[in-house]
Amino acid sequence: MSSLCREVITLQLGHYSNFAGTHWWNLQDASLSYDPESPPGEIQSDVVFREGQTPGGHVTYTPRLIAMDLKGSLRTLRQEGSLYDAGKDTSALTWDGSITMHEESPPAKNSFLEDLDKLDKGEILAEADFPSSSQPQCSARSLSVDTVNSHLARVQKSYRLECSVKVWSDFLRIHLHPRTISVIHQYNHDGEAHRLEAFGQGESLLQGSVLEELEDRLHFFVEECDYLQGFQVLCDLADGFAGLGSKVTELLHDSYGGRGILTWGLLPVSHPDSVSVSFFKSKCFVTRLLYLYLLSLFEQTPVKDLYRLLNCTLGMVHMASHSSLFCPLTLRGGLGRRPSSPTTFTHLSYDPSLWYHSSSVLALALDTLTAPYRLRNNSVPMWQLADDLAVSGRKVVAAYGAVPFPMMHGSSLPDALSTYTDVLPWRPLSGCAEAGDGRCYGQWATLKGFEGQKLISSLAAGTKPPTPLHSLHSGEDVLASYIRSFYPSAPLALQLVSTPSELAPPFPQIFSQSLGAQGFLEGQPPPPGSTPRVISSVPVMTSLQSGPALDPWLSELHRGVSAFDIRRVAPSFLSQGPEVSDYQEALEQLRLLARCYRDDSRGVMRSSSEEEDDD
Amino acid sequence: KANSHNLLVSGAGDIKLTKDGNVLLHEMQIQHPTASLIAKVATAQDDITGDGTTSNVLIIGELLKQADLYISEGLHPRIIAEGFEAAKEKSLAVLEEVKVTREMDRETLINVARTSLRTKVHAELADLLTEAVVDAVLAIAKPNEPTDLYMVEIMEMKHKTDCDTQLIRGLVLDHGARHPDMKKRVEDAYILTCNVSLEYEKTEVNSGFFYKSADEREKLVAAERKFIEDRVQKIIALKNKVCPNGDKGFVVINQKGIDPFSLDALAKEGIVGLRRAKRRNMERLTLACGGIAMNSVDDLTPECLGHAGLVYEHTLGEEKYTFIEKCGNPRSVTLLVKGPNKHTLTQIKDAVRDGLRAVKNAIEDGSVVSGAGAFEVAVADALVKHKPNVKGRAQLGVQAFADALLVIPKVLAQNSGYDPQETLLKLQTEYKESGQLVGVDLSTGEPMVAGEAGVWDNYSVKKQLLHSCTVIASNILLVDEIMRAGMSSLKG
């Protein structure tokens, strides 16, 4: 409609959300172009980034981002970043008496962070892996546009950070604004004591100084926006951040009515339980043995699992009611306590237990899911996305993704899609399996990154098209016709974005060897023994769906939580709120929410039998 | 009250300079269960009274140390806890005796604030803060009503060279007008405080499923635009009514957004418009300038307007500030804290908050207590005399309590470089001889009459302190062997 810059402010609440967020910002940064000559890209980066100025007068470009995490979660990252500060100034102007210095020894930086430091200081990296043949053309350009991106891209180092990533700042490429990071001092990131474990703890956090600080940060980022379209909130579902997220979305809803609030509830596949980690790290053999014995006794800390289930349930109910749209994002097989095995993708080999890996897959999907409202032209504002999907109270949607979208190098979209005639190429990203019966209330599908490939088949005139898809004349028609073959009557909105997600170090190399450097399938795998290909970009297709499939999925969650008496099984969960009556009301809301997705158009027989299920 | 500052530098280089026990406890990652229990209670003390965290931790530690001696000799922890309880009752009685009830004039309040602040920042800065803090509270205090410190906004400003704190009898907002043609300085200005959207938002009409025709959409947009324009026109009409000659200024401070079209329309009429004011500042605005916060522009009248003698904008890097000053009778004021870096600002802000709390406590208590360790010396003395009235071995608990309280004057002396035992003896002798409440003179190490020297502590802080350290020490003593095993490792 117009090319106004409709700003979006991002909030990341919790450690796993910050993992996914960090990957997401790295992806955004990798596709930024600092070259004034290059034409403006399809994605308008000003939507999520802001231009600022340091006290020294340097121009900065940083995310419109508020990231909240707990005490002890930053490691090498300074809370205020290093962009706006001249450096350490420990002189005490306010006190002339004695001063006791308590200096924590700086944690060791991994090879990637060391390289970033070198680049910041203006040093050139050793270009060990650099293929000498293409050097001449490149170096001429890098003189004019000397950026971290170009350096890192040229070095193309594969960092292999799998073992060294402990917290999200270990792979953060970009500088953050000093107002971005907010550390919650009431709870510890790790250890035994003061953990943010329960929904109620998180809920009661948002008052006093924490609330005031958040309001100040929001004010800073919101006030400068001319056409704020809304907020994208990434929030951890498994711990107390679910409660904090509920209060934060409520605050956004109350203070910025009319703006879109898109909330993504993130859930890792597994949690590194602090007890088990410290036991496992123990050098003492007996301790480790003892731990294994305890494990066999208690079957993996059931109380913690129970807490996670409760946090997830309450978080979902509350955040859905305060947001324009709520979508869980996880690679777990389901939201319950005993989910089926994690989601797998044909062309990915990631380690589900590594947060660094699983969050990178989610970030890649999120880059495509969020693309419609970040486009320079014909963008679809957040509220419209939400209006399209969240009809009659169905504010929870499920996400699916083909990461990467399987497409042969040099083929066309109809070719790619016609190999998936029986089953859709995407896999669940919300732990909710598709019903497969073609019923759906609304769907938003986005294909991003087909650059260089054909959207329609270019058959010579007179040739009989092998499938009906090959006879269509636009990419939108091809995709729409393909999806309609699975969901014949469902309202469908589509967005096609040509630019792929650019993968720059330190994005983990989790792709199968059947992919080429651009992320398209290669006819032949590389000969054995050759150096593995480095994938620099991938095409991704995602879908957001609201349909009857969410009814059994939500109902199962409801059954899982209602199955036990919380006052008996986990009495301490409610010690910091909510009240038992509020808790029960939330469960009732979940039941009603599940019912919103029930398809009433079917026969009376079936719906009456489902009524019985409820009781 | 440890008198040394702690400079905390995190591994990543984040800096915190503090002497405030509460800040320290919040910064550290405390893993030990007993230590974390103490930290929790001590920070609760701060939540209630705004001060006394360090004293609390010191006394609890000392109580446990004293108790440990007796327990190792075979005394049951419960007996000691009984002694603590008896000692607490007596101490509270002493507190009631020695507290000084008087009119809380500015001088007394300055003494209270100074006593609190001097333990937190250096004397010169403390004295500067003292007046600002006391005057801020006096500006907003109403007789016979609880003081709402919320009406004192603390605004921080990072400034390369300046390091001070000043009281602004009005408000400082940390944003400015977003239009190049709006004036940076307005004198004698009407202030319109409102919460009305002046920007095009998503239309209220549900757009139904997916796309409508572009034509229809344009119509909707135009209708919405007109709606917003009408609101702006109503504000402009009011401005023209109250400033017919254009000699007075007109400033709109809106809690909701103002989009570029509306800003443009306001700028053309010489109106300064600030958007997205913080919710918490809306009430403060009307208290500072007068007028009514408007939720609609339909019933605007000149009576809704507030007034300020001077409104001006100040820019520092990417940060903008709007000063609203020279308000007639401000019921809400701002303390503007300037400092060269974040940790200095944070430390001054923490000190200012504690100072405000101390002044508020003094006003609400209507009484003060001698500081500099004088109160503790007096209580310890009274407890020793009270011991024979307590039955049996619980007397040992009373003795332990008395000894524990004396940690306060001892630490005060030690931190100023004097011998703690010698100083304490001098104090106790002087107290016995003169019967006056004597504390440590930190500049000489000699006894002084605390009240005469103007060293006053809060009554409510002392009272809360006696309660909470007794409760927590007794609780720790009474839990089972496992916890006490933890306690012994805590000392290591």
Side-chain angles (χ1 to χ4, degrees):
Chain A
M1 178 176 79
S2 62
S3 56
L4 289 180
C5 174
R6 298 179 186 278
E7 300 94 342
V8 170
I9 292 166
T10 308
L11 286 95
Q12 292 165 195
L13 315 174
H15 204 65
Y16 190 64
S17 295
N18 279 312
F19 257 80
T22 301
H23 275 306
W24 192 82
W25 287 108
N26 284 349
L27 290 172
Q28 305 314 311
D29 178 63
S31 49
L32 284 185
S33 168
Y34 293 95
D35 187 353
E37 305 284 294
S38 68
E42 276 176 292
I43 299 281
Q44 189 172 26
S45 58
D46 288 348
V47 170
V48 293
F49 284 91
R50 69 183 287 277
E51 200 176 291
Q53 199 186 28
T54 66
H58 293 285
V59 175
T60 62
Y61 200 55
T62 51
R64 305 180 193 275
L65 166 69
I66 299 171
M68 295 177 103
D69 213 329
L70 303 179
K71 184 161 64 178
S73 62
L74 296 182
R75 269 175 55 91
T76 58
L77 184 66
R78 287 180 60 189
Q79 193 182 337
E80 288 192 64
S82 48
L83 211 52
Y84 280 67
D85 211 23
K88 270 208 248 187
D89 174 20
T90 53
S91 57
L93 292 145
T94 47
W95 185 251
D96 48 12
S98 65
I99 286 175
T100 324
M101 186 91 155
H102 304 267
E103 193 162 6
E104 199 180 15
S105 57
K109 291 194 170 183
N110 61 38
S111 55
F112 167 68
L113 292 177
E114 278 174 357
D115 281 355
L116 274 190
D117 280 354
K118 282 185 201 156
L119 286 172
D120 270 359
K121 286 184 201 128
E123 290 172 38
I124 309 286
L125 296 184
E127 299 176 12
D129 308 346
F130 192 73
S132 53
S133 58
S134 56
Q135 198 157 6
Q137 316 142 12
C138 247
S139 56
R141 277 195 68 194
S142 72
L143 282 176
S144 55
V145 196
D146 203 24
T147 64
V148 176
N149 275 342
S150 58
H151 272 297
L152 283 175
R154 270 185 300 147
V155 174
Q156 270 304 357
K157 225 160 141 179
S158 39
Y159 284 97
R160 304 252 166 256
L161 298 178
E162 277 74 8
C163 297
S164 63
V165 168
K166 294 189 179 70
V167 297
W168 50 272
S169 64
D170 287 335
F171 58 97
L172 177 74
R173 278 168 61 111
I174 54 171
H175 283 296
L176 302 174
H177 191 272
R179 301 228 190 206
T180 286
I181 300 175
S182 165
V183 175
I184 294 166
H185 286 277
Q186 283 91 328
Y187 294 98
N188 290 336
H189 168 61
D190 52 12
E192 307 288 311
H194 291 278
R195 299 302 301 274
L196 182 58
E197 283 171 321
F199 184 85
Q201 289 174 314
E203 255 194 334
S204 50
L205 263 180
L206 202 62
Q207 51 179 308
S209 62
V210 178
L211 174 65
E212 209 160 284
E213 209 188 291
L214 178 67
E215 282 178 339
D216 285 353
R217 287 168 197 273
L218 276 172
H219 171 262
F220 174 78
F221 287 110
V222 170
E223 196 269 333
E224 66 183 10
C225 296
D226 278 340
Y227 303 100
L228 177 73
Q229 62 168 306
F231 304 86
Q232 49 184 16
V233 183
L234 278 69
C235 181
D236 282 12
L237 274 184
D239 56 17
F241 275 106
L244 181 68
S246 305
K247 284 289 167 191
V248 170
T249 45
E250 187 179 347
L251 170 78
L252 295 178
H253 182 263
D254 291 349
S255 309
Y256 306 103
R259 315 283 133 183
I261 304 169
L262 253 55
T263 307
W264 308 92
L266 281 96
L267 208 57
V269 176
S270 58
H271 290 266
D273 276 317
S274 54
V275 184
S276 57
V277 169
S278 59
F279 268 113
F280 260 133
K281 276 190 193 149
S282 163
K283 289 202 179 76
C284 169
F285 177 69
V286 182
T287 324
R288 271 169 28 207
L289 220 84
L290 181 76
Y291 168 67
L292 289 174
Y293 172 69
L294 283 174
L295 257 192
S296 64
L297 273 185
F298 296 119
E299 226 193 311
Q300 256 217 337
T301 57
V303 175
K304 280 197 171 165
D305 282 351
L306 194 61
Y307 267 45
R308 284 176 194 138
L309 178 68
L310 290 166
N311 290 329
C312 178
T313 310
L314 293 174
M316 182 130 101
V317 170
H318 285 102
M319 283 194 263
S321 81
H322 303 312
S323 308
S324 322
L325 200 63
F326 178 85
C327 176
L329 274 186
T330 183
L331 296 177
R332 273 165 72 104
L335 301 183
R337 269 203 286 172
R338 300 200 201 300
S340 45
S341 57
T343 308
T344 54
F345 299 86
T346 322
H347 302 290
L348 289 186
S349 52
Y350 74 98
D351 180 350
S353 65
L354 277 184
W355 282 21
Y356 173 56
H357 274 187
S358 64
S359 62
S360 74
V361 179
L362 295 180
L364 209 45
L366 207 52
D367 190 29
T368 302
L369 286 166
T370 57
Y373 55 83
R374 297 187 289 129
L375 290 174
R376 191 176 300 276
N377 295 310
N378 299 318
S379 81
V380 180
M382 267 182 181
W383 59 76
Q384 176 155 13
L385 195 78
D387 273 358
D388 287 351
L389 289 168
V391 179
S392 18
R394 294 191 283 256
K395 282 197 192 170
V396 178
V397 293
Y400 303 87
V403 187
F405 177 65
M407 194 167 183
M408 283 300 276
H409 188 79
S411 72
S412 67
L413 185 60
D415 289 339
L417 292 174
S418 56
T419 52
Y420 289 88
T421 46
D422 300 328
V423 63
L424 284 151
W426 56 54
R427 309 273 298 128
L429 291 177
S430 303
C432 172
E434 277 174 288
D437 56 2
R439 290 177 301 130
C440 185
Y441 303 128
Q443 175 162 193
W444 245 106
T446 310
L447 172 64
K448 186 171 186 295
F450 51 82
E451 197 170 48
Q453 307 287 303
K454 293 189 288 285
L455 283 177
I456 50 170
S457 149
S458 51
L459 294 169
T463 331
K464 187 177 182 294
T467 68
L469 291 180
H470 287 80
S471 60
L472 296 168
H473 299 296
S474 78
E476 279 84 358
D477 287 348
V478 173
L479 194 55
S481 154
Y482 172 72
I483 294 174
R484 289 230 165 84
S485 70
F486 290 88
Y487 293 101
S489 59
L492 173 70
L494 288 173
Q495 193 81 57
L496 272 73
V497 185
S498 151
T499 336
S501 299
E502 302 278 351
L503 311 179
F507 197 90
Q509 287 294 328
I510 48 175
F511 303 95
S512 83
Q513 283 306 307
S514 47
L515 293 185
Q518 263 66 54
F520 297 108
L521 293 169
E522 294 287 335
Q524 285 158 349
S530 66
T531 47
R533 285 194 197 112
V534 174
I535 314 293
S536 59
S537 66
V538 284
V540 174
M541 180 155 76
T542 57
S543 163
L544 282 178
Q545 291 180 18
S546 167
L550 276 87
D551 170 23
W553 178 64
L554 291 168
S555 298
E556 193 198 319
L557 194 63
H558 179 253
R559 265 196 302 278
V561 181
S562 334
F564 53 83
D565 179 2
I566 189 166
R567 278 166 292 189
R568 203 172 52 79
V569 185
S572 58
F573 184 81
L574 297 178
S575 62
Q576 295 206 43
E579 299 287 321
V580 177
S581 57
D582 292 339
Y583 169 74
Q584 275 155 353
E585 198 192 310
L587 291 196
E588 178 62 14
Q589 271 181 39
L590 177 63
R591 200 180 67 82
L592 295 174
L593 186 66
R595 183 164 291 193
C596 289
Y597 292 89
R598 197 159 294 174
D599 191 351
D600 295 325
S601 66
R602 287 170 301 159
V604 185
M605 288 286 285
R606 264 187 87 175
S607 58
S608 66
S609 73
E610 284 194 11
E611 284 296 313
E612 285 156 26
D613 284 356
D614 277 349
D615 304 316
Chain B
K1 290 184 180 177
N3 220 21
S4 162
H5 269 57
N6 293 284
L7 185 67
L8 307 176
V9 182
S10 83
D14 281 321
I15 299 166
K16 198 126 199 178
L17 176 66
T18 187
K19 175 173 182 306
D20 189 329
N22 185 42
V23 174
L24 266 177
L25 289 174
H26 266 126
E27 284 301 311
M28 293 186 294
Q29 279 205 68
I30 299 169
Q31 299 286 5
H32 194 285
T34 312
S36 95
L37 190 62
I38 297 178
K40 251 188 188 162
V41 176
T43 50
Q45 158 97 29
D46 191 82
D47 291 344
I48 298 167
T49 60
D51 206 347
T53 316
T54 314
S55 305
N56 213 336
V57 174
L58 277 174
I59 295 174
I60 291 170
E62 202 60 21
L63 281 171
L64 296 177
K65 203 162 99 189
Q66 300 288 338
D68 203 39
L69 291 174
Y70 296 114
I71 291 169
S72 63
E73 287 165 7
L75 188 64
H76 196 280
R78 201 174 57 238
I79 310 283
I80 297 194
E82 275 171 30
F84 282 180
E85 191 59 32
K88 184 193 81 181
E89 293 304 326
K90 179 65 191 170
S91 307
L92 288 171
V94 176
L95 178 62
E96 294 305 320
E97 278 169 37
V98 302
K99 75 173 183 189
V100 177
T101 307
R102 58 154 100 168
E103 195 210 337
M104 290 296 140
D105 51 12
R106 185 164 180 271
E107 199 195 326
T108 312
L109 292 175
I110 282 182
N111 283 333
V112 172
R114 190 191 298 120
T115 309
S116 165
L117 286 167
R118 281 210 176 170
T119 64
K120 290 171 172 93
V121 288
H122 71 72
E124 201 183 316
L125 182 60
D127 293 351
L128 189 76
L129 295 182
T130 303
E131 299 222 348
V133 159
V134 172
D135 289 338
V137 178
L138 287 176
I140 59 157
K142 286 176 253 177
N144 307 321
E145 262 182 59
T147 312
D148 186 4
L149 290 184
Y150 201 64
M151 288 307 133
V152 182
E153 161 89 338
I154 304 174
M155 175 61 69
E156 60 176 48
M157 192 186 267
K158 208 187 257 181
H159 198 282
K160 261 185 218 141
T161 47
D162 277 7
C163 185
D164 71 9
T165 297
Q166 65 194 99
L167 174 67
I168 309 285
R169 292 180 186 273
L171 222 62
V172 183
L173 306 174
D174 54 357
H175 50 116
R178 288 269 169 201
H179 194 283
D181 297 345
M182 284 180 181
K183 282 184 223 155
K184 305 285 177 209
R185 187 186 168 92
V186 184
E187 279 175 46
D188 194 10
Y190 287 107
I191 310 283
L192 172 63
T193 310
C194 57
N195 185 15
V196 179
S197 174
L198 297 179
E199 61 185 337
Y200 170 70
E201 290 177 40
K202 166 199 164 188
T203 163
E204 297 299 321
V205 189
N206 196 323
S207 55
F209 215 87
F210 302 152
Y211 303 108
K212 291 211 159 197
S213 71
D215 206 35
E216 199 167 343
R217 186 190 284 273
E218 287 306 319
K219 269 187 199 150
L220 272 175
V221 171
E224 181 79 5
R225 192 63 265 163
K226 177 87 178 58
F227 192 60
I228 300 298
E229 268 165 29
D230 288 348
R231 287 181 180 172
V232 175
Q233 285 310 321
K234 282 184 184 151
I235 293 174
I236 292 172
L238 178 67
K239 185 252 171 187
N240 289 334
K241 192 168 164 191
V242 294
C243 336
N245 318 319
D247 51 346
K248 285 188 166 194
F250 197 94
V251 180
V252 179
I253 300 171
N254 192 4
Q255 191 184 339
K256 291 233 166 67
I258 310 179
D259 65 17
F261 293 103
S262 304
L263 282 173
D264 212 45
L266 293 174
K268 277 190 188 124
E269 296 291 330
I271 300 174
V272 176
L274 273 78
R275 69 188 180 195
R276 296 276 172 208
K278 288 175 203 165
R279 193 164 46 166
R280 64 170 187 268
N281 277 340
M282 299 309 281
E283 191 185 348
R284 289 171 180 164
L285 266 170
T286 48
L287 282 169
C289 316
I292 308 162
M294 301 303 292
N295 287 313
S296 143
V297 287
D298 292 336
D299 28 42
L300 284 181
T301 60
E303 289 72 47
C304 310
L305 298 172
H307 180 266
L310 176 63
V311 179
Y312 67 98
E313 193 180 290
H314 182 77
T315 309
L316 275 176
E318 63 177 29
E319 314 265 354
K320 273 187 181 176
Y321 300 87
T322 302
F323 288 70
I324 300 164
E325 282 191 67
K326 297 189 185 166
C327 303
N329 178 26
R331 307 294 305 280
S332 175
V333 296
T334 303
L335 284 168
L336 181 67
V337 176
K338 287 186 196 164
N341 48 39
K342 181 86 185 164
H343 69 267
T344 308
L345 285 171
T346 311
Q347 202 207 357
I348 301 179
K349 262 170 84 177
D350 287 341
V352 164
R353 279 208 188 90
D354 290 349
L356 288 171
R357 289 294 292 268
V359 175
K360 170 187 153 82
N361 286 341
I363 293 176
E364 282 170 13
D365 294 345
S367 58
V368 285
V369 182
S370 290
F375 170 69
E376 285 77 11
V377 170
V379 172
D381 188 68
L383 286 176
V384 174
K385 287 184 186 140
H386 178 66
K387 227 167 49 166
N389 308 333
V390 177
K391 261 193 280 173
R393 284 183 295 173
Q395 285 186 14
L396 296 172
V398 178
Q399 182 66 50
F401 199 93
D403 293 340
L405 285 182
L406 292 176
V407 73
I408 300 292
K410 279 201 271 189
V411 166
L412 281 177
Q414 191 174 20
N415 283 330
S416 304
Y418 308 110
D419 184 75
Q421 277 162 348
E422 198 191 316
T423 312
L424 180 60
L425 278 174
K426 277 188 203 163
L427 289 187
Q428 287 175 318
T429 319
E430 180 72 25
Y431 174 64
K432 281 208 177 74
E433 282 172 6
S434 69
Q436 283 180 300
L437 291 169
V438 287
V440 197
D441 184 339
L442 295 183
S443 52
T444 61
E446 293 300 313
M448 61 166 187
V449 179
E452 284 175 12
V455 182
W456 294 111
D457 276 343
N458 278 145
Y459 160 80
S460 52
V461 172
K462 293 286 181 209
K463 188 171 166 186
Q464 179 63 27
L465 196 63
L466 289 169
H467 274 291
S468 60
C469 62
T470 313
V471 169
I472 188 68
S474 304
N475 274 327
I476 292 175
L477 287 177
L478 292 174
V479 289
D480 61 14
E481 293 291 328
I482 296 170
M483 283 294 268
R484 272 193 282 124
M487 219 175 71
S488 55
S489 71
L490 182 68
K491 279 183 249 148

